[in-house]
Amino acid sequence: MIGDAPIDGLYAGSNGHYYTDWEVTRNLRRGTWRRCIRQREPDRRLVETTEGGLLMLTAIEPTSLPTWVEIRVAGDAARVVDTRYPSLETRR
């Protein structure tokens, strides 16, 4: 866990977005992403999106997040929010 938040990991996506472990797991369970390859050291995952594209997810430290990234926690769900765009607060 990161700090007091229920976050087991953070990932930088090759698409320029950031994801919590909860978001990665949710996308895989929903079928939004499909597992392709996982490397454990360093922790990287390659997933296929529903559009057929490939997305590389690389584990990062919380201190590596840009200043415009905020982690919002509701219950056991932890989401990355891009605060540069207030009208597009969360990715669903």
PDB file of all heavy atoms in Angstrom, residues 17-46:
ATOM      1  N   HIS A  17      -1.131   8.383 -19.920  1.00  0.00           N
ATOM      2  CA  HIS A  17      -2.009   8.365 -18.758  1.00  0.00           C
ATOM      3  C   HIS A  17      -1.353   7.572 -17.630  1.00  0.00           C
ATOM      4  O   HIS A  17      -0.436   6.785 -17.863  1.00  0.00           O
ATOM      5  CB  HIS A  17      -3.361   7.735 -19.095  1.00  0.00           C
ATOM      6  CG  HIS A  17      -4.148   8.517 -20.084  1.00  0.00           C
ATOM      7  ND1 HIS A  17      -4.795   9.691 -19.777  1.00  0.00           N
ATOM      8  CD2 HIS A  17      -4.374   8.301 -21.403  1.00  0.00           C
ATOM      9  CE1 HIS A  17      -5.403  10.158 -20.858  1.00  0.00           C
ATOM     10  NE2 HIS A  17      -5.157   9.330 -21.861  1.00  0.00           N
ATOM     11  N   TYR A  18      -1.861   7.790 -16.432  1.00  0.00           N
ATOM     12  CA  TYR A  18      -1.375   7.083 -15.256  1.00  0.00           C
ATOM     13  C   TYR A  18      -2.525   6.276 -14.671  1.00  0.00           C
ATOM     14  O   TYR A  18      -3.688   6.672 -14.782  1.00  0.00           O
ATOM     15  CB  TYR A  18      -0.837   8.075 -14.222  1.00  0.00           C
ATOM     16  CG  TYR A  18       0.382   8.793 -14.726  1.00  0.00           C
ATOM     17  CD1 TYR A  18       0.259   9.960 -15.479  1.00  0.00           C
ATOM     18  CD2 TYR A  18       1.653   8.295 -14.489  1.00  0.00           C
ATOM     19  CE1 TYR A  18       1.375  10.602 -15.980  1.00  0.00           C
ATOM     20  CE2 TYR A  18       2.776   8.929 -14.988  1.00  0.00           C
ATOM     21  CZ  TYR A  18       2.625  10.088 -15.723  1.00  0.00           C
ATOM     22  OH  TYR A  18       3.738  10.711 -16.226  1.00  0.00           O
ATOM     23  N   TYR A  19      -2.203   5.141 -14.057  1.00  0.00           N
ATOM     24  CA  TYR A  19      -3.224   4.229 -13.551  1.00  0.00           C
ATOM     25  C   TYR A  19      -2.826   3.680 -12.192  1.00  0.00           C
ATOM     26  O   TYR A  19      -1.646   3.399 -11.959  1.00  0.00           O
ATOM     27  CB  TYR A  19      -3.403   3.038 -14.510  1.00  0.00           C
ATOM     28  CG  TYR A  19      -3.752   3.440 -15.912  1.00  0.00           C
ATOM     29  CD1 TYR A  19      -2.761   3.657 -16.862  1.00  0.00           C
ATOM     30  CD2 TYR A  19      -5.080   3.610 -16.296  1.00  0.00           C
ATOM     31  CE1 TYR A  19      -3.076   4.033 -18.159  1.00  0.00           C
ATOM     32  CE2 TYR A  19      -5.395   3.986 -17.593  1.00  0.00           C
ATOM     33  CZ  TYR A  19      -4.395   4.197 -18.511  1.00  0.00           C
ATOM     34  OH  TYR A  19      -4.709   4.575 -19.796  1.00  0.00           O
ATOM     35  N   THR A  20      -3.806   3.475 -11.329  1.00  0.00           N
ATOM     36  CA  THR A  20      -3.561   2.758 -10.082  1.00  0.00           C
ATOM     37  C   THR A  20      -3.702   1.268 -10.367  1.00  0.00           C
ATOM     38  O   THR A  20      -4.267   0.871 -11.388  1.00  0.00           O
ATOM     39  CB  THR A  20      -4.580   3.148  -8.996  1.00  0.00           C
ATOM     40  OG1 THR A  20      -5.886   2.757  -9.422  1.00  0.00           O
ATOM     41  CG2 THR A  20      -4.529   4.632  -8.679  1.00  0.00           C
ATOM     42  N   ASP A  21      -3.208   0.457  -9.444  1.00  0.00           N
ATOM     43  CA  ASP A  21      -3.359  -0.991  -9.580  1.00  0.00           C
ATOM     44  C   ASP A  21      -4.847  -1.364  -9.653  1.00  0.00           C
ATOM     45  O   ASP A  21      -5.232  -2.260 -10.389  1.00  0.00           O
ATOM     46  CB  ASP A  21      -2.678  -1.699  -8.407  1.00  0.00           C
ATOM     47  CG  ASP A  21      -2.610  -3.186  -8.606  1.00  0.00           C
ATOM     48  OD1 ASP A  21      -2.028  -3.613  -9.615  1.00  0.00           O
ATOM     49  OD2 ASP A  21      -3.151  -3.925  -7.767  1.00  0.00           O
ATOM     50  N   TRP A  22      -5.680  -0.657  -8.893  1.00  0.00           N
ATOM     51  CA  TRP A  22      -7.119  -0.906  -8.910  1.00  0.00           C
ATOM     52  C   TRP A  22      -7.683  -0.685 -10.314  1.00  0.00           C
ATOM     53  O   TRP A  22      -8.485  -1.485 -10.805  1.00  0.00           O
ATOM     54  CB  TRP A  22      -7.825   0.004  -7.903  1.00  0.00           C
ATOM     55  CG  TRP A  22      -9.303  -0.203  -7.863  1.00  0.00           C
ATOM     56  CD1 TRP A  22      -9.979  -1.132  -7.125  1.00  0.00           C
ATOM     57  CD2 TRP A  22     -10.291   0.512  -8.604  1.00  0.00           C
ATOM     58  NE1 TRP A  22     -11.329  -1.039  -7.364  1.00  0.00           N
ATOM     59  CE2 TRP A  22     -11.548  -0.033  -8.275  1.00  0.00           C
ATOM     60  CE3 TRP A  22     -10.250   1.552  -9.520  1.00  0.00           C
ATOM     61  CZ2 TRP A  22     -12.732   0.433  -8.823  1.00  0.00           C
ATOM     62  CZ3 TRP A  22     -11.430   2.020 -10.068  1.00  0.00           C
ATOM     63  CH2 TRP A  22     -12.652   1.453  -9.715  1.00  0.00           C
ATOM     64  N   GLU A  23      -7.263   0.390 -10.995  1.00  0.00           N
ATOM     65  CA  GLU A  23      -7.751   0.676 -12.350  1.00  0.00           C
ATOM     66  C   GLU A  23      -7.278  -0.379 -13.351  1.00  0.00           C
ATOM     67  O   GLU A  23      -8.039  -0.782 -14.237  1.00  0.00           O
ATOM     68  CB  GLU A  23      -7.289   2.062 -12.803  1.00  0.00           C
ATOM     69  CG  GLU A  23      -7.961   3.193 -12.061  1.00  0.00           C
ATOM     70  CD  GLU A  23      -7.400   4.535 -12.437  1.00  0.00           C
ATOM     71  OE1 GLU A  23      -6.191   4.761 -12.196  1.00  0.00           O
ATOM     72  OE2 GLU A  23      -8.152   5.362 -12.970  1.00  0.00           O
ATOM     73  N   VAL A  24      -6.038  -0.819 -13.197  1.00  0.00           N
ATOM     74  CA  VAL A  24      -5.511  -1.860 -14.087  1.00  0.00           C
ATOM     75  C   VAL A  24      -6.333  -3.138 -13.922  1.00  0.00           C
ATOM     76  O   VAL A  24      -6.800  -3.727 -14.905  1.00  0.00           O
ATOM     77  CB  VAL A  24      -4.014  -2.113 -13.812  1.00  0.00           C
ATOM     78  CG1 VAL A  24      -3.520  -3.340 -14.576  1.00  0.00           C
ATOM     79  CG2 VAL A  24      -3.188  -0.891 -14.189  1.00  0.00           C
ATOM     80  N   THR A  25      -6.525  -3.553 -12.679  1.00  0.00           N
ATOM     81  CA  THR A  25      -7.299  -4.761 -12.399  1.00  0.00           C
ATOM     82  C   THR A  25      -8.720  -4.647 -12.928  1.00  0.00           C
ATOM     83  O   THR A  25      -9.248  -5.571 -13.543  1.00  0.00           O
ATOM     84  CB  THR A  25      -7.312  -5.053 -10.887  1.00  0.00           C
ATOM     85  OG1 THR A  25      -5.961  -5.219 -10.453  1.00  0.00           O
ATOM     86  CG2 THR A  25      -8.114  -6.297 -10.555  1.00  0.00           C
ATOM     87  N   ARG A  26      -9.361  -3.503 -12.728  1.00  0.00           N
ATOM     88  CA  ARG A  26     -10.729  -3.283 -13.203  1.00  0.00           C
ATOM     89  C   ARG A  26     -10.810  -3.385 -14.729  1.00  0.00           C
ATOM     90  O   ARG A  26     -11.702  -4.036 -15.272  1.00  0.00           O
ATOM     91  CB  ARG A  26     -11.236  -1.917 -12.742  1.00  0.00           C
ATOM     92  CG  ARG A  26     -12.666  -1.639 -13.204  1.00  0.00           C
ATOM     93  CD  ARG A  26     -13.071  -0.225 -12.932  1.00  0.00           C
ATOM     94  NE  ARG A  26     -12.151   0.641 -13.667  1.00  0.00           N
ATOM     95  CZ  ARG A  26     -12.313   1.928 -13.848  1.00  0.00           C
ATOM     96  NH1 ARG A  26     -13.343   2.537 -13.308  1.00  0.00           N
ATOM     97  NH2 ARG A  26     -11.461   2.647 -14.532  1.00  0.00           N
ATOM     98  N   ASN A  27      -9.871  -2.772 -15.428  1.00  0.00           N
ATOM     99  CA  ASN A  27      -9.884  -2.830 -16.895  1.00  0.00           C
ATOM    100  C   ASN A  27      -9.672  -4.248 -17.410  1.00  0.00           C
ATOM    101  O   ASN A  27     -10.274  -4.648 -18.408  1.00  0.00           O
ATOM    102  CB  ASN A  27      -8.839  -1.882 -17.478  1.00  0.00           C
ATOM    103  CG  ASN A  27      -9.311  -0.446 -17.479  1.00  0.00           C
ATOM    104  OD1 ASN A  27     -10.441  -0.144 -17.851  1.00  0.00           O
ATOM    105  ND2 ASN A  27      -8.452   0.452 -17.037  1.00  0.00           N
ATOM    106  N   LEU A  28      -8.833  -5.015 -16.732  1.00  0.00           N
ATOM    107  CA  LEU A  28      -8.614  -6.408 -17.133  1.00  0.00           C
ATOM    108  C   LEU A  28      -9.858  -7.257 -16.859  1.00  0.00           C
ATOM    109  O   LEU A  28     -10.261  -8.064 -17.694  1.00  0.00           O
ATOM    110  CB  LEU A  28      -7.401  -6.982 -16.409  1.00  0.00           C
ATOM    111  CG  LEU A  28      -6.048  -6.408 -16.847  1.00  0.00           C
ATOM    112  CD1 LEU A  28      -4.950  -6.828 -15.882  1.00  0.00           C
ATOM    113  CD2 LEU A  28      -5.720  -6.820 -18.275  1.00  0.00           C
ATOM    114  N   ARG A  29     -10.489  -7.072 -15.713  1.00  0.00           N
ATOM    115  CA  ARG A  29     -11.686  -7.850 -15.369  1.00  0.00           C
ATOM    116  C   ARG A  29     -12.871  -7.523 -16.262  1.00  0.00           C
ATOM    117  O   ARG A  29     -13.659  -8.400 -16.601  1.00  0.00           O
ATOM    118  CB  ARG A  29     -12.071  -7.619 -13.917  1.00  0.00           C
ATOM    119  CG  ARG A  29     -11.176  -8.345 -12.955  1.00  0.00           C
ATOM    120  CD  ARG A  29     -11.644  -8.205 -11.541  1.00  0.00           C
ATOM    121  NE  ARG A  29     -10.737  -8.915 -10.649  1.00  0.00           N
ATOM    122  CZ  ARG A  29     -10.600  -8.649  -9.379  1.00  0.00           C
ATOM    123  NH1 ARG A  29     -11.317  -7.690  -8.818  1.00  0.00           N
ATOM    124  NH2 ARG A  29      -9.757  -9.333  -8.640  1.00  0.00           N
ATOM    125  N   ARG A  30     -13.002  -6.268 -16.639  1.00  0.00           N
ATOM    126  CA  ARG A  30     -14.112  -5.846 -17.501  1.00  0.00           C
ATOM    127  C   ARG A  30     -13.910  -6.236 -18.957  1.00  0.00           C
ATOM    128  O   ARG A  30     -14.825  -6.152 -19.757  1.00  0.00           O
ATOM    129  CB  ARG A  30     -14.286  -4.324 -17.435  1.00  0.00           C
ATOM    130  CG  ARG A  30     -14.887  -3.831 -16.169  1.00  0.00           C
ATOM    131  CD  ARG A  30     -15.095  -2.347 -16.268  1.00  0.00           C
ATOM    132  NE  ARG A  30     -15.862  -1.853 -15.133  1.00  0.00           N
ATOM    133  CZ  ARG A  30     -16.168  -0.598 -14.943  1.00  0.00           C
ATOM    134  NH1 ARG A  30     -15.764   0.317 -15.818  1.00  0.00           N
ATOM    135  NH2 ARG A  30     -16.870  -0.224 -13.902  1.00  0.00           N
ATOM    136  N   GLY A  31     -12.693  -6.594 -19.304  1.00  0.00           N
ATOM    137  CA  GLY A  31     -12.415  -6.938 -20.689  1.00  0.00           C
ATOM    138  C   GLY A  31     -12.039  -5.736 -21.536  1.00  0.00           C
ATOM    139  O   GLY A  31     -11.898  -5.846 -22.748  1.00  0.00           O
ATOM    140  N   THR A  32     -11.869  -4.579 -20.900  1.00  0.00           N
ATOM    141  CA  THR A  32     -11.427  -3.385 -21.617  1.00  0.00           C
ATOM    142  C   THR A  32     -10.012  -3.578 -22.129  1.00  0.00           C
ATOM    143  O   THR A  32      -9.657  -3.089 -23.192  1.00  0.00           O
ATOM    144  CB  THR A  32     -11.481  -2.159 -20.678  1.00  0.00           C
ATOM    145  OG1 THR A  32     -12.790  -2.081 -20.101  1.00  0.00           O
ATOM    146  CG2 THR A  32     -11.186  -0.880 -21.413  1.00  0.00           C
ATOM    147  N   TRP A  33      -9.215  -4.287 -21.337  1.00  0.00           N
ATOM    148  CA  TRP A  33      -7.861  -4.657 -21.711  1.00  0.00           C
ATOM    149  C   TRP A  33      -7.729  -6.173 -21.641  1.00  0.00           C
ATOM    150  O   TRP A  33      -8.417  -6.828 -20.872  1.00  0.00           O
ATOM    151  CB  TRP A  33      -6.832  -4.055 -20.763  1.00  0.00           C
ATOM    152  CG  TRP A  33      -6.757  -2.568 -20.747  1.00  0.00           C
ATOM    153  CD1 TRP A  33      -7.237  -1.700 -21.677  1.00  0.00           C
ATOM    154  CD2 TRP A  33      -6.159  -1.761 -19.733  1.00  0.00           C
ATOM    155  NE1 TRP A  33      -6.972  -0.414 -21.312  1.00  0.00           N
ATOM    156  CE2 TRP A  33      -6.306  -0.414 -20.122  1.00  0.00           C
ATOM    157  CE3 TRP A  33      -5.504  -2.048 -18.546  1.00  0.00           C
ATOM    158  CZ2 TRP A  33      -5.822   0.633 -19.347  1.00  0.00           C
ATOM    159  CZ3 TRP A  33      -5.021  -1.000 -17.792  1.00  0.00           C
ATOM    160  CH2 TRP A  33      -5.184   0.323 -18.186  1.00  0.00           C
ATOM    161  N   ARG A  34      -6.811  -6.698 -22.438  1.00  0.00           N
ATOM    162  CA  ARG A  34      -6.511  -8.127 -22.412  1.00  0.00           C
ATOM    163  C   ARG A  34      -5.009  -8.290 -22.174  1.00  0.00           C
ATOM    164  O   ARG A  34      -4.190  -7.633 -22.822  1.00  0.00           O
ATOM    165  CB  ARG A  34      -6.888  -8.765 -23.748  1.00  0.00           C
ATOM    166  CG  ARG A  34      -6.774 -10.290 -23.739  1.00  0.00           C
ATOM    167  CD  ARG A  34      -7.204 -10.886 -25.064  1.00  0.00           C
ATOM    168  NE  ARG A  34      -6.362 -10.473 -26.180  1.00  0.00           N
ATOM    169  CZ  ARG A  34      -5.194 -11.019 -26.484  1.00  0.00           C
ATOM    170  NH1 ARG A  34      -4.714 -12.006 -25.775  1.00  0.00           N
ATOM    171  NH2 ARG A  34      -4.493 -10.592 -27.520  1.00  0.00           N
ATOM    172  N   ARG A  35      -4.667  -9.162 -21.244  1.00  0.00           N
ATOM    173  CA  ARG A  35      -3.252  -9.406 -20.928  1.00  0.00           C
ATOM    174  C   ARG A  35      -2.508  -9.958 -22.137  1.00  0.00           C
ATOM    175  O   ARG A  35      -2.987 -10.850 -22.802  1.00  0.00           O
ATOM    176  CB  ARG A  35      -3.133 -10.426 -19.801  1.00  0.00           C
ATOM    177  CG  ARG A  35      -3.516  -9.921 -18.469  1.00  0.00           C
ATOM    178  CD  ARG A  35      -3.364 -11.044 -17.436  1.00  0.00           C
ATOM    179  NE  ARG A  35      -3.737 -10.589 -16.116  1.00  0.00           N
ATOM    180  CZ  ARG A  35      -4.963 -10.679 -15.611  1.00  0.00           C
ATOM    181  NH1 ARG A  35      -5.923 -11.236 -16.319  1.00  0.00           N
ATOM    182  NH2 ARG A  35      -5.223 -10.218 -14.403  1.00  0.00           N
ATOM    183  N   CYS A  36      -1.328  -9.437 -22.357  1.00  0.00           N
ATOM    184  CA  CYS A  36      -0.455  -9.987 -23.397  1.00  0.00           C
ATOM    185  C   CYS A  36       0.805 -10.563 -22.754  1.00  0.00           C
ATOM    186  O   CYS A  36       1.057 -11.744 -22.853  1.00  0.00           O
ATOM    187  CB  CYS A  36      -0.082  -8.915 -24.412  1.00  0.00           C
ATOM    188  SG  CYS A  36      -1.462  -8.330 -25.407  1.00  0.00           S
ATOM    189  N   ILE A  37       1.581  -9.688 -22.109  1.00  0.00           N
ATOM    190  CA  ILE A  37       2.844 -10.096 -21.502  1.00  0.00           C
ATOM    191  C   ILE A  37       3.022  -9.335 -20.190  1.00  0.00           C
ATOM    192  O   ILE A  37       2.671  -8.164 -20.096  1.00  0.00           O
ATOM    193  CB  ILE A  37       4.045  -9.760 -22.416  1.00  0.00           C
ATOM    194  CG1 ILE A  37       3.932 -10.471 -23.750  1.00  0.00           C
ATOM    195  CG2 ILE A  37       5.370 -10.107 -21.744  1.00  0.00           C
ATOM    196  CD1 ILE A  37       4.969 -10.022 -24.760  1.00  0.00           C
ATOM    197  N   ARG A  38       3.597 -10.019 -19.199  1.00  0.00           N
ATOM    198  CA  ARG A  38       3.952  -9.344 -17.952  1.00  0.00           C
ATOM    199  C   ARG A  38       5.392  -9.664 -17.612  1.00  0.00           C
ATOM    200  O   ARG A  38       5.808 -10.815 -17.637  1.00  0.00           O
ATOM    201  CB  ARG A  38       3.057  -9.766 -16.799  1.00  0.00           C
ATOM    202  CG  ARG A  38       3.457  -9.030 -15.523  1.00  0.00           C
ATOM    203  CD  ARG A  38       2.456  -9.154 -14.449  1.00  0.00           C
ATOM    204  NE  ARG A  38       2.873  -8.321 -13.327  1.00  0.00           N
ATOM    205  CZ  ARG A  38       2.309  -8.337 -12.162  1.00  0.00           C
ATOM    206  NH1 ARG A  38       1.291  -9.147 -11.936  1.00  0.00           N
ATOM    207  NH2 ARG A  38       2.733  -7.566 -11.197  1.00  0.00           N
ATOM    208  N   GLN A  39       6.137  -8.631 -17.290  1.00  0.00           N
ATOM    209  CA  GLN A  39       7.517  -8.764 -16.833  1.00  0.00           C
ATOM    210  C   GLN A  39       7.526  -8.326 -15.370  1.00  0.00           C
ATOM    211  O   GLN A  39       6.972  -7.289 -15.029  1.00  0.00           O
ATOM    212  CB  GLN A  39       8.436  -7.865 -17.657  1.00  0.00           C
ATOM    213  CG  GLN A  39       9.872  -7.898 -17.223  1.00  0.00           C
ATOM    214  CD  GLN A  39      10.724  -6.969 -18.068  1.00  0.00           C
ATOM    215  OE1 GLN A  39      10.329  -6.530 -19.144  1.00  0.00           O
ATOM    216  NE2 GLN A  39      11.904  -6.660 -17.571  1.00  0.00           N
ATOM    217  N   ARG A  40       8.134  -9.102 -14.522  1.00  0.00           N
ATOM    218  CA  ARG A  40       8.097  -8.804 -13.084  1.00  0.00           C
ATOM    219  C   ARG A  40       9.229  -7.884 -12.621  1.00  0.00           C
ATOM    220  O   ARG A  40       9.067  -7.147 -11.676  1.00  0.00           O
ATOM    221  CB  ARG A  40       8.100 -10.095 -12.286  1.00  0.00           C
ATOM    222  CG  ARG A  40       6.869 -10.918 -12.581  1.00  0.00           C
ATOM    223  CD  ARG A  40       6.395 -11.644 -11.364  1.00  0.00           C
ATOM    224  NE  ARG A  40       5.282 -12.520 -11.694  1.00  0.00           N
ATOM    225  CZ  ARG A  40       4.018 -12.222 -11.428  1.00  0.00           C
ATOM    226  NH1 ARG A  40       3.713 -11.098 -10.853  1.00  0.00           N
ATOM    227  NH2 ARG A  40       3.067 -13.057 -11.745  1.00  0.00           N
ATOM    228  N   GLU A  41      10.377  -7.944 -13.244  1.00  0.00           N
ATOM    229  CA  GLU A  41      11.503  -7.134 -12.784  1.00  0.00           C
ATOM    230  C   GLU A  41      12.198  -6.501 -13.959  1.00  0.00           C
ATOM    231  O   GLU A  41      12.920  -7.205 -14.663  1.00  0.00           O
ATOM    232  CB  GLU A  41      12.453  -8.030 -11.986  1.00  0.00           C
ATOM    233  CG  GLU A  41      13.326  -7.355 -10.968  1.00  0.00           C
ATOM    234  CD  GLU A  41      12.642  -6.380 -10.038  1.00  0.00           C
ATOM    235  OE1 GLU A  41      11.669  -6.683  -9.355  1.00  0.00           O
ATOM    236  OE2 GLU A  41      13.130  -5.238 -10.024  1.00  0.00           O
ATOM    237  N   PRO A  42      12.003  -5.254 -14.281  1.00  0.00           N
ATOM    238  CA  PRO A  42      11.076  -4.333 -13.623  1.00  0.00           C
ATOM    239  C   PRO A  42       9.628  -4.679 -13.981  1.00  0.00           C
ATOM    240  O   PRO A  42       9.363  -5.338 -14.991  1.00  0.00           O
ATOM    241  CB  PRO A  42      11.466  -2.969 -14.174  1.00  0.00           C
ATOM    242  CG  PRO A  42      12.042  -3.252 -15.528  1.00  0.00           C
ATOM    243  CD  PRO A  42      12.703  -4.609 -15.398  1.00  0.00           C
ATOM    244  N   ASP A  43       8.704  -4.202 -13.152  1.00  0.00           N
ATOM    245  CA  ASP A  43       7.280  -4.513 -13.322  1.00  0.00           C
ATOM    246  C   ASP A  43       6.721  -3.745 -14.520  1.00  0.00           C
ATOM    247  O   ASP A  43       6.578  -2.526 -14.474  1.00  0.00           O
ATOM    248  CB  ASP A  43       6.514  -4.158 -12.048  1.00  0.00           C
ATOM    249  CG  ASP A  43       5.058  -4.586 -12.102  1.00  0.00           C
ATOM    250  OD1 ASP A  43       4.650  -5.247 -13.076  1.00  0.00           O
ATOM    251  OD2 ASP A  43       4.321  -4.251 -11.157  1.00  0.00           O
ATOM    252  N   ARG A  44       6.463  -4.490 -15.575  1.00  0.00           N
ATOM    253  CA  ARG A  44       5.859  -3.919 -16.786  1.00  0.00           C
ATOM    254  C   ARG A  44       4.815  -4.888 -17.301  1.00  0.00           C
ATOM    255  O   ARG A  44       4.975  -6.108 -17.198  1.00  0.00           O
ATOM    256  CB  ARG A  44       6.903  -3.683 -17.870  1.00  0.00           C
ATOM    257  CG  ARG A  44       7.912  -2.637 -17.491  1.00  0.00           C
ATOM    258  CD  ARG A  44       8.792  -2.265 -18.637  1.00  0.00           C
ATOM    259  NE  ARG A  44       9.665  -3.394 -18.982  1.00  0.00           N
ATOM    260  CZ  ARG A  44      10.688  -3.298 -19.789  1.00  0.00           C
ATOM    261  NH1 ARG A  44      10.993  -2.163 -20.359  1.00  0.00           N
ATOM    262  NH2 ARG A  44      11.432  -4.351 -20.053  1.00  0.00           N
ATOM    263  N   ARG A  45       3.762  -4.326 -17.858  1.00  0.00           N
ATOM    264  CA  ARG A  45       2.687  -5.141 -18.436  1.00  0.00           C
ATOM    265  C   ARG A  45       2.344  -4.600 -19.822  1.00  0.00           C
ATOM    266  O   ARG A  45       2.246  -3.396 -20.009  1.00  0.00           O
ATOM    267  CB  ARG A  45       1.433  -5.059 -17.572  1.00  0.00           C
ATOM    268  CG  ARG A  45       1.650  -5.469 -16.151  1.00  0.00           C
ATOM    269  CD  ARG A  45       0.452  -5.130 -15.309  1.00  0.00           C
ATOM    270  NE  ARG A  45       0.725  -5.410 -13.912  1.00  0.00           N
ATOM    271  CZ  ARG A  45      -0.176  -5.766 -13.047  1.00  0.00           C
ATOM    272  NH1 ARG A  45      -1.434  -5.878 -13.409  1.00  0.00           N
ATOM    273  NH2 ARG A  45       0.142  -5.992 -11.792  1.00  0.00           N
ATOM    274  N   LEU A  46       2.147  -5.510 -20.738  1.00  0.00           N
ATOM    275  CA  LEU A  46       1.691  -5.144 -22.072  1.00  0.00           C
ATOM    276  C   LEU A  46       0.274  -5.673 -22.193  1.00  0.00           C
ATOM    277  O   LEU A  46       0.021  -6.859 -21.976  1.00  0.00           O
ATOM    278  CB  LEU A  46       2.583  -5.762 -23.151  1.00  0.00           C
ATOM    279  CG  LEU A  46       2.262  -5.364 -24.585  1.00  0.00           C
ATOM    280  CD1 LEU A  46       2.498  -3.866 -24.801  1.00  0.00           C
ATOM    281  CD2 LEU A  46       3.114  -6.182 -25.555  1.00  0.00           C
TER     282      LEU A  46
END
